[in-house]
Amino acid sequence: MAAKQAVQSYYHPVISRTSTAKPIFSLLGNKFPSSPPLFSRASSSFPNRSTVAKCSGDGDKLKDALSGMVGKQVEQLLGREENKALLDELEKASERVEIARRELAEIERQELEAKQVREYVKQLEIRAGEIEECLQEISAAKSMVEEAERSLSAGSQSEASEKDKERIESVKAAGVCALVGTLAGLPVSLTQATSYEQLLLPLAVTFLSCALFGVTFRYVVRRDLDDSHLKTGAIAAFGFVKGLGRLSGGAPLELNPASILSHGIDGAVYVSQSLLVFGFAAVSLDYCFKVGIISPFPLNESPSETNAE
């Protein structure tokens, strides 16, 4: 049917042009009566309204008649057997073209959707890569934090253990010095005391002062065991302080030569006794350092001290 309509639409303008090209007055024949030439020219020059209307009406009827005739001829042509096959092929071709157009439109739509999907997948891959990098950075940072916490914990534990070891070594140094110093000062205390009650206080003072001297001597000398200036300086400092302290606790000083001489002699004796006590304590502690019974300060030798040695 679509092919038949196309053929009819093709032939219809031709019929219209053919029917309208013929002169209208030639088709009217001898519908007008004969008249004289003058009136004939006048009437042909000035037709009345009824004549013009009748001519136009006859032309429309003729046009419709011709159109109907041509349409019948076209239908007859289309109704032939040899033309039906062509029309069927034409309809099938038109259907195939329409199907091809729809498939082409569908393919274009699918290609557009596929392109959009590819772009979206590409964006997702980029974001996935960024997320993966962020996760790796977070994991690296987490491992660094854990490592720092472990090292800090180990450092704090080792530092605490080192401090405990240092305290133990200081206690050992204080004990050695207190014992040796008390034994060294015992003969002097026995000569000055008449009873055990009088002997108790000097021995207690000597014991405590020698213990304090042992801790200080260890921190002063450190690992410079061959430095005699440090050793003698520590002994002199403690000896003078203890001896002069005993002198100030005795009889008051008077402004006469005898009192001044007496205080001078007593001060020298007291200082000498203290130097003797602290000297024995220092020698015993230095021996313990060299033998390895007590470790000097610090326990772990630093690189600067190693280079200095």
Side-chain angles (χ1 to χ4, degrees):
M1 292 301 294
K4 187 182 292 185
Q5 292 176 0
V7 173
Q8 290 178 356
S9 62
Y10 175 78
Y11 283 104
H12 183 71
V14 177
I15 297 167
S16 301
R17 287 195 299 269
T18 305
S19 60
T20 53
K22 293 179 180 181
I24 297 173
F25 292 103
S26 64
L27 297 174
L28 295 178
N30 49 2
K31 290 183 178 290
F32 296 96
S34 61
S35 59
L38 179 61
F39 292 103
S40 177
R41 285 196 299 270
S43 62
S44 63
S45 300
F46 301 100
N48 55 16
R49 294 181 180 180
S50 61
T51 304
V52 174
K54 189 174 182 180
C55 290
S56 61
D58 293 337
D60 293 336
K61 292 178 180 180
L62 181 60
K63 182 179 179 181
D64 293 337
L66 292 174
S67 298
M69 292 172 62
V70 173
K72 290 179 180 180
Q73 292 177 358
V74 170
E75 289 180 359
Q76 290 177 359
L77 290 173
L78 295 177
R80 293 180 182 178
E81 294 296 332
E82 61 272 13
N83 294 333
K84 285 183 178 181
L86 296 175
L87 291 175
D88 293 338
E89 293 294 332
L90 183 59
E91 290 179 358
K92 292 179 180 179
S94 301
E95 292 176 358
R96 288 196 295 270
V97 169
E98 187 65 25
I99 293 171
R101 288 179 180 176
R102 289 196 297 268
E103 291 178 354
L104 181 60
E106 183 67 20
I107 291 171
E108 292 178 352
R109 185 183 64 81
Q110 292 178 359
E111 289 180 353
L112 181 60
E113 291 179 355
K115 184 178 180 181
Q116 294 176 354
V117 169
R118 285 195 297 270
E119 292 178 356
Y120 183 69
V121 170
K122 187 176 181 180
Q123 293 177 359
L124 290 178
E125 290 177 352
I126 294 172
R127 293 182 180 178
E130 294 176 354
I131 292 171
E132 185 66 24
E133 291 179 358
C134 293
L135 290 176
Q136 291 178 358
E137 292 178 358
I138 291 171
S139 179
K142 187 177 179 180
S143 61
M144 292 174 64
V145 170
E146 292 177 354
E147 184 67 22
E149 289 178 353
R150 286 195 296 269
S151 62
L152 182 62
S153 177
S156 61
Q157 291 177 359
S158 62
E159 186 177 357
S161 62
E162 288 179 0
K163 287 183 179 180
D164 293 337
K165 291 179 181 179
E166 292 289 351
R167 293 190 184 98
I168 293 172
E169 297 298 324
S170 297
V171 171
K172 289 165 65 176
V176 170
C177 287
L179 180 60
V180 174
T182 302
L183 292 176
L186 182 60
V188 179
S189 299
L190 289 174
T191 58
Q192 294 177 354
T194 57
S195 63
Y196 289 106
E197 289 81 6
Q198 293 180 355
L199 184 64
L200 184 61
L201 182 60
L203 291 179
V205 172
T206 303
F207 183 86
L208 294 176
S209 60
C210 287
L212 181 61
F213 171 77
V215 176
T216 306
F217 187 82
R218 179 173 180 267
Y219 284 107
V220 169
V221 176
R222 298 174 71 88
R223 290 187 174 273
D224 298 330
L225 301 180
D226 296 330
D227 193 345
S228 59
H229 296 286
L230 290 175
K231 297 177 181 179
T232 55
I235 294 170
F238 272 83
F240 275 94
V241 170
K242 187 174 183 295
L244 295 177
R246 289 182 62 188
L247 180 63
S248 64
L253 179 65
E254 297 179 359
L255 297 177
N256 54 61
S259 178
I260 293 173
L261 181 61
S262 175
H263 279 81
I265 294 173
D266 292 340
V269 172
Y270 292 152
V271 169
S272 299
Q273 292 176 353
S274 299
L275 291 174
L276 180 65
V277 171
F278 290 123
F280 276 104
V283 170
S284 63
L285 186 58
D286 185 65
Y287 176 78
C288 291
F289 285 157
K290 292 180 179 179
V291 173
I293 299 174
I294 300 174
S295 298
F297 179 82
L299 291 175
N300 297 323
E301 188 175 2
S302 61
S304 60
E305 292 178 350
T306 305
N307 295 332
E309 291 177 358

